Amino acid sequence: MTLGEFDLIARYFSRPCRRRDVLLGVGDDAALLEVPAGQALVAATDTLVEGRHFLPGAPARSVGHQALAVNLSDLAAMGAEPAWALLSLSLPEASETWLQEFADGLYSLAGMHGVDLVGGDTVRGPLVVTIEVLGFVEVGSALKRSGARPGDLVFVSGWPGESAAGLELLSSGAATFASDDPLVRRHLFATPRLELGRALRGRASAAMDVSDGLLGDLRKLCAASGGGAGIDLDALPVSSRLASRFPRARCESFVLDGGDDYELLFTIAPDEAPQLVSALGASVELARIGEIRGGRGVQCLRAGVEVVVDGGGFDHFA
Ligand code: ADP
Ligand code: MG
């Protein structure tokens, strides 16, 4: 390493903090942060490993963006306000162009959501990026996976499946990292749904973000809530970008089983749904895909008839 560890931190990860609740940021042994009275501290962490969570050689800007986006998505799913991030970076070498782009990707998303990078750790090793995001939510108003009740409607935001389709285009060689294909951009630069998470506070009965596939994640939500769900395959949000490039069955499998969407999956009582939809206006697409029932597991239906589909969701140890 021509660039030493401390120069690296000083050069790339010490941009000034903007928040007043950061009493001490990067540079000491730990950060000092002030949690507002009456708020619960919300903490989430996610690790991205090269070759497992992102393709080898992926643009550094995308890696920096995604590492933060996946964590912000977890806070969105809780209805929380993100505030601070810590970055643990393991790098095979200190390439200055890589670091500059990585930092730009990370800081630009952080800036959009008012998040300050307040600390971290830097080591040499395989390329692994771990971010921890901290934020807050008023005590008692966090969204959880466990509140869905029979009769609640099941919604998902945006266009799940596009990220998985983008990954397929990249891994099959049909597109390159530089492509401006919207499916590829969706895969490289996810949009965490913080605004939707805020709007769901006090309205949704349960929520989670879709990281491992819609079907598998809905099963988790149902298990946490102690119920089951039925979803209508014809109501799945298949974007025209997907539909124009892949056969219907393939589109459905992208939507049901594709990972890395970072959309929000939530349930809401039927009489609350219209208010939510009008409060959100055109800011985000919402698809009503089914409803919560008694029993267990998720049934997929087409014209009311049960259909067996693959799609268990991603499991690192399966
Ligand atoms: P320590 O040895 O006390 O853990 P370090 O030398 O690892 O401290 O880090 C020095 C300072 O730089 C600390 O404030 C730490 O939080 C911060 N830091 C280290 N690596 C990063 C990074 N990748 N991003 C942001 N801050 C970092
Ligand atoms: Mg350290």
Side-chain angles (χ1 to χ4, degrees):
M1 275 197 198
T2 45
L3 186 65
E5 178 186 334
F6 303 103
D7 290 335
L8 184 161
I9 297 165
R11 198 169 304 172
Y12 298 104
F13 302 112
S14 301
R15 297 192 196 174
C17 289
R18 298 194 207 149
R19 303 180 61 94
R20 287 161 162 236
D21 51 19
V22 178
L23 309 178
L24 193 56
V26 170
D28 212 306
D29 292 310
L32 291 176
L33 310 165
E34 201 172 11
V35 183
Q39 306 274 313
L41 184 65
V42 184
T45 184
D46 260 309
T47 296
L48 304 189
V49 177
E50 183 179 39
R52 180 150 284 270
H53 301 92
F54 60 92
L55 292 167
R61 195 180 173 91
S62 153
V63 178
H65 174 102
Q66 288 296 90
L68 182 59
V70 303
N71 280 284
L72 292 178
S73 176
D74 284 323
L75 262 63
M78 302 300 291
E81 296 300 329
W84 314 295
L86 294 125
L87 164 68
S88 293
L89 192 55
S90 164
L91 288 173
E93 53 170 359
S95 151
E96 302 209 27
T97 44
W98 193 93
L99 281 161
Q100 185 63 55
E101 284 185 28
F102 173 87
D104 285 347
L106 195 161
Y107 275 106
S108 104
L109 183 63
M112 281 168 60
H113 296 287
V115 171
D116 276 341
L117 181 65
V118 297
D121 199 22
T122 306
V123 300
R124 188 194 279 243
L127 182 53
V128 178
V129 186
T130 301
I131 288 189
E132 178 178 18
V133 167
L134 300 164
F136 30 81
V137 68
E138 204 175 309
V139 172
S141 72
L143 302 168
K144 297 181 204 149
R145 297 181 180 185
S146 54
R149 294 293 167 260
D152 287 353
L153 306 177
V154 179
F155 281 85
V156 67
S157 64
W159 304 109
E162 289 197 342
S163 174
L167 173 61
E168 177 160 306
L169 296 175
L170 287 168
S171 23
S172 68
T176 66
F177 290 124
S179 165
D180 59 6
D181 187 319
L183 299 178
V184 172
R185 301 330 287 166
R186 275 289 308 255
H187 178 71
L188 295 176
F189 296 94
T191 305
R193 299 290 192 184
L194 286 150
E195 198 188 330
L196 175 59
R198 266 174 214 125
L200 294 178
R201 268 195 315 247
R203 289 191 170 109
S205 51
M208 70 183 293
D209 68 327
V210 182
S211 51
D212 298 330
L214 177 57
L215 190 52
D217 284 343
L218 180 56
R219 285 195 190 114
K220 291 179 198 162
L221 187 148
C222 287
S225 293
I231 61 171
D232 175 5
L233 296 177
D234 293 319
L236 293 176
V238 175
S239 73
S240 55
R241 292 177 292 265
L242 267 192
S244 63
R245 316 249 306 254
F246 299 94
R248 174 76 198 183
R250 191 85 184 91
C251 291
E252 283 182 9
S253 81
F254 280 133
V255 174
L256 290 172
D257 206 27
D260 299 333
D261 289 309
Y262 306 106
E263 296 294 351
L264 295 187
L265 174 66
F266 62 93
T267 60
I268 188 163
D271 53 337
E272 298 266 359
Q275 265 177 299
L276 172 73
V277 172
S278 64
L280 286 163
S283 62
V284 60
E285 300 84 3
L286 293 180
R288 174 185 160 180
I289 59 170
E291 67 174 44
I292 299 294
R293 305 167 164 178
R296 276 175 193 286
V298 178
Q299 260 193 328
C300 295
L301 305 158
R302 199 185 305 281
V305 179
E306 184 168 6
V307 177
V308 177
V309 300
D310 299 339
F314 188 75
D315 179 339
H316 278 280
F317 294 99

